[in-house]
Amino acid sequence: MPRFFKTLFFITFTSLTATFSQSFNSSFEEEIFKSYKRDSINYDFFKSMFAIDSLTNNNLVLKYQDRINTLLKTFPEKENKEKKEQKRIKFIYDEIHSAFFNKYKLDSYFNDLFEDGTYNCVTASALYAYAFDELQIPYHIKETPTHVFIIAYPETYKIYLETTVPGEYGFIVPKESEIIKVIDELISYKLITKEEVLKKGYMKFYEDLYYGHEFVNKNALVGMQYYNRGLSYLDIEDYDKAINNLRKSKIFFSSPLIKPIIKTIMFDKINELEFNSFEDIDYLLELIAIANYPEDYSLKNLESSLFKLVNHDDNTNEFIEASIEKFNTIKEDDVRNTALEFLYEYLAKQAGTDENLDDALKYSDKIINLNPNSKIAQKIIEYVCFKKIALSTLNKATLNELENNVDKYPFIKSNNRYHIALAHLYGNISLDSFGDKDIESAHLYLKKLEDLLDNNDITNEISKKLISNLYTKAGNYYYYKEQHKSAFSIYSKGLSYAPNDHELNKRAKWSKEEL
């Protein structure tokens, strides 16, 4: 039986040095693909079959189309009776075969049909599909692992058309005795087993094999040409052209055979990429899309590639951010989130190292959205929040920012630095308020400070200068109002936190003497 697939028994992939990318052989081909991607329903099938030929142009296609259309106009109209219609289909089949098919050749393409009459089952089936569409003859294109053929009137007459065989052997409306003979021959060639045939019965098995509900759309024939060409390039170890054609094949032809071949080539290539270009990123994304996770592509594999991406000297933060947008299109949640978290971690650490605190917080936010339990993100967020406090003027605006961050990142409160930062904020706000004679606010934040210091073991972490200045300022407010009891109480409270402070000891002594 003629084959449209080159049989791929075993391929050893070695020394892959080319960078794979989608390229087109001509502007004609590129426009065919663009047109099909825009509308895969209302595309020009006949024209698309020529896309694979780099020398074809629109004028040549129209010339060839006129040849087949001229022949189609000579065919009789549809017959109402079954036997007459079967006879008409056979006539059409024979006439097309006689007019266009000269020599069968496994490695041939649609343009060859019109140039020298060489054909294979893919190109022959494509010509019949076009003719039957024009003549409004219903048909199914049937695909087996090694062959393509057509069934005319699949729901009624079930006429089997072996497109690569002329004459009576290519046109079959089989009787039961002929069916048994065909099936027995398949068994003898070990293409099927006797057991599976007996399980269904000869007639049912034949029906399912040749006339079952499984069939391919005619656009698959366009892709099959690229598939065959891809395998031809594999035979001569031109992996760049092989994968380029296999990628094109995938657009028209959804065969499960394409994916493992592409995947095998790409796995060998991925380790050679530097990931300093968007082309390399797109290559990785294509591999991720076709790989089975985690059986043949694990998170460790992904992280290995990402490590090369972030450590390449040429890659700027802008390039990494643009790469993140690409990785965000990955459909597998675990893979996508791992990639994004890895890249955001790098950017967050870099921003933190460069003291770019707002960016460090922005990137850490992204990580927390992906992984709320990320220890790295939490540490960076804590660092940024407390660093911003240390660099601030320690006023009410800074306190409000800290309170907002605590609402957003509750884990901040578990860090001892939270209470230390809060104590310095309360102390400075109280000190400023005493200086502004805002006594109500001054006492409010002084009370907050004392509650913190009395209930948390952080006194030794608080600035002694702040304690001295605050309690001296607060005590002086009452001392100079001659409210010596209040002054002594405040000086004494300050000394409970800083017992060796000279100024507080001196003023506590003065206020006590005044009492």
Side-chain angles (χ1 to χ4, degrees):
M1 181 177 288
R3 299 176 301 160
F4 81 92
F5 289 135
K6 289 174 171 289
T7 305
L8 189 67
F9 293 106
F10 182 77
I11 299 175
T12 302
F13 297 102
T14 58
S15 184
L16 302 182
T17 56
T19 299
F20 301 129
S21 61
Q22 187 70 72
S23 61
F24 295 99
N25 297 319
S26 65
S27 57
F28 175 84
E29 180 187 40
E30 185 173 8
E31 181 53 40
I32 292 294
F33 276 79
K34 286 181 179 179
S35 176
Y36 184 76
K37 288 179 179 179
R38 285 194 300 267
D39 188 349
S40 61
I41 304 298
N42 302 303
Y43 72 103
D44 191 326
F45 168 70
F46 188 83
K47 185 177 177 181
S48 298
M49 285 297 299
F50 289 95
I52 198 167
D53 178 29
S54 61
L55 300 179
T56 300
N57 55 52
N58 284 307
N59 290 335
L60 198 56
V61 170
L62 290 174
K63 175 184 173 182
Y64 292 152
Q65 193 169 23
D66 185 62
R67 275 183 58 191
I68 181 66
N69 287 345
T70 299
L71 177 63
L72 297 182
K73 290 175 183 177
T74 67
F75 294 151
E77 295 293 325
K78 178 182 178 180
E79 298 285 353
N80 292 324
K81 293 184 178 181
E82 179 178 343
K83 287 190 176 182
K84 286 187 176 182
E85 181 60 8
Q86 288 178 359
K87 187 176 180 181
R88 185 180 81 106
I89 298 299
K90 186 177 188 307
F91 174 77
I92 292 170
Y93 168 81
D94 289 340
E95 288 296 304
I96 292 176
H97 218 292
S98 176
F100 289 94
F101 301 164
N102 182 39
K103 180 182 179 182
Y104 174 83
K105 183 181 177 184
L106 181 61
D107 293 320
S108 61
Y109 301 96
F110 200 57
N111 55 292
D112 296 326
L113 255 176
F114 297 87
E115 291 169 10
D116 60 14
T118 56
Y119 65 96
N120 60 22
C121 63
V122 173
T123 58
S125 295
L127 188 62
Y128 279 111
Y130 173 76
F132 286 179
D133 281 337
E134 294 296 303
L135 298 171
Q136 297 184 334
I137 296 171
Y139 65 92
H140 282 170
I141 301 169
K142 304 289 290 185
E143 173 198 4
T144 72
T146 58
H147 190 46
V148 175
F149 57 92
I150 285 183
I151 303 294
Y153 286 100
E155 303 299 330
T156 52
Y157 310 148
K158 298 180 180 179
I159 304 170
Y160 173 91
L161 299 180
E162 174 47 75
T163 53
T164 58
V165 180
E168 60 179 316
Y169 298 106
F171 182 92
I172 305 172
V173 184
K175 300 175 182 177
E176 184 173 352
S177 59
E178 294 170 334
I179 288 175
I180 293 172
K181 184 178 179 181
V182 168
I183 296 298
D184 282 340
E185 187 173 309
L186 292 175
I187 293 172
S188 69
Y189 284 118
K190 297 184 178 179
L191 296 174
I192 57 176
T193 67
K194 185 79 170 180
E195 290 73 19
E196 60 184 325
V197 172
L198 294 177
K199 188 174 181 179
K200 288 186 176 182
Y202 274 82
M203 296 304 292
K204 180 68 167 67
F205 188 89
Y206 183 86
E207 285 277 329
D208 291 346
L209 182 64
Y210 288 100
Y211 308 122
H213 295 297
E214 295 294 327
F215 60 92
V216 297
N217 291 322
K218 61 185 178 184
N219 57 295
L221 300 174
V222 180
M224 287 175 189
Q225 291 194 108
Y226 285 102
Y227 178 84
N228 281 342
R229 178 166 285 179
L231 296 188
S232 294
Y233 281 121
L234 275 182
D235 286 345
I236 60 173
E237 298 185 2
D238 189 336
Y239 301 109
D240 188 1
K241 291 180 180 177
I243 202 168
N244 190 37
N245 278 277
L246 290 169
R247 280 172 169 166
K248 291 175 184 177
S249 176
K250 275 174 47 181
I251 295 172
F252 290 91
F253 179 38
S254 59
S255 170
L257 299 172
I258 300 173
K259 177 179 172 180
I261 301 173
I262 292 179
K263 187 168 63 175
T264 302
I265 302 172
M266 294 184 74
F267 267 123
D268 280 355
K269 176 63 185 175
I270 198 74
N271 295 325
E272 299 177 14
L273 301 182
E274 295 186 28
F275 297 102
N276 62 334
S277 69
F278 291 129
E279 184 180 40
D280 287 2
I281 302 300
D282 290 338
Y283 186 97
L284 174 59
L285 292 174
E286 182 178 355
L287 177 58
I288 290 171
I290 66 174
N292 294 319
Y293 167 80
E295 291 80 10
D296 55 18
Y297 193 80
S298 68
L299 295 181
K300 288 188 179 296
N301 295 134
L302 174 63
E303 288 175 351
S304 175
S305 298
L306 295 175
F307 185 81
K308 292 169 71 174
L309 191 162
V310 300
N311 282 281
H312 199 287
D313 292 339
D314 295 341
N315 292 346
T316 63
N317 284 1
E318 289 74 19
F319 175 81
I320 294 173
E321 285 194 351
S323 298
I324 285 174
E325 293 303 311
K326 289 179 171 289
F327 282 109
N328 203 35
T329 64
I330 297 173
K331 293 181 179 180
E332 178 67 49
D333 290 344
D334 286 347
V335 179
R336 181 183 65 251
N337 291 347
T338 294
L340 297 180
E341 186 173 349
F342 186 101
L343 296 175
Y344 279 129
E345 277 185 9
Y346 170 80
L347 292 174
K349 289 175 182 176
Q350 286 292 104
T353 301
D354 296 339
E355 296 295 314
N356 191 343
L357 301 180
D358 288 336
D359 277 353
L361 195 61
K362 176 183 71 175
Y363 296 133
S364 297
D365 253 345
K366 300 286 189 181
I367 299 170
I368 290 294
N369 288 335
L370 294 166
N371 177 13
N373 299 317
S374 170
K375 297 299 182 186
I376 292 176
Q378 290 181 9
K379 286 184 180 298
I380 295 173
I381 289 170
E382 289 173 352
Y383 170 79
V384 169
C385 290
F386 297 132
K387 184 70 174 181
K388 292 181 81 170
I389 292 172
L391 296 173
S392 73
T393 54
L394 300 177
N395 53 22
K396 289 183 179 179
T398 306
L399 176 61
N400 287 336
E401 184 178 1
L402 175 60
E403 289 172 342
N404 289 335
N405 284 333
V406 169
D407 288 339
K408 189 173 184 179
Y409 314 112
F411 55 83
I412 290 177
K413 295 179 72 173
S414 63
N415 190 314
N416 202 41
R417 293 175 67 187
Y418 165 70
H419 293 110
I420 297 170
L422 205 56
H424 282 98
L425 282 165
Y426 289 157
N428 278 277
I429 293 171
S430 179
L431 178 61
D432 291 343
S433 296
F434 274 115
D436 295 337
K437 301 297 186 290
D438 185 356
I439 304 305
E440 182 180 353
S441 177
H443 274 290
L444 172 65
Y445 287 99
L446 182 63
K447 178 67 168 61
K448 287 176 178 288
L449 171 64
E450 291 171 353
D451 287 343
L452 262 181
L453 296 179
D454 293 343
N455 293 290
N456 296 278
D457 187 19
I458 60 171
T459 302
N460 291 333
E461 306 295 332
I462 307 305
S463 168
K464 295 300 183 285
K465 183 178 180 180
L466 172 61
I467 295 293
S468 178
N469 290 343
L470 172 60
Y471 281 94
T472 297
K473 190 86 168 179
N476 287 351
Y477 175 80
Y478 292 101
Y479 183 85
Y480 291 116
K481 286 181 174 290
E482 298 186 355
Q483 298 178 25
H484 301 298
K485 184 176 181 180
S486 295
F488 178 73
S489 176
I490 291 174
Y491 293 140
S492 298
K493 185 65 174 177
L495 285 168
S496 71
Y497 303 128
N500 298 320
D501 187 79
H502 174 73
E503 190 68 25
L504 285 176
N505 273 304
K506 180 179 69 173
R507 291 187 177 277
K509 182 180 178 182
W510 289 352
S511 59
K512 186 176 182 181
E513 289 173 351
E514 294 293 342
L515 290 175

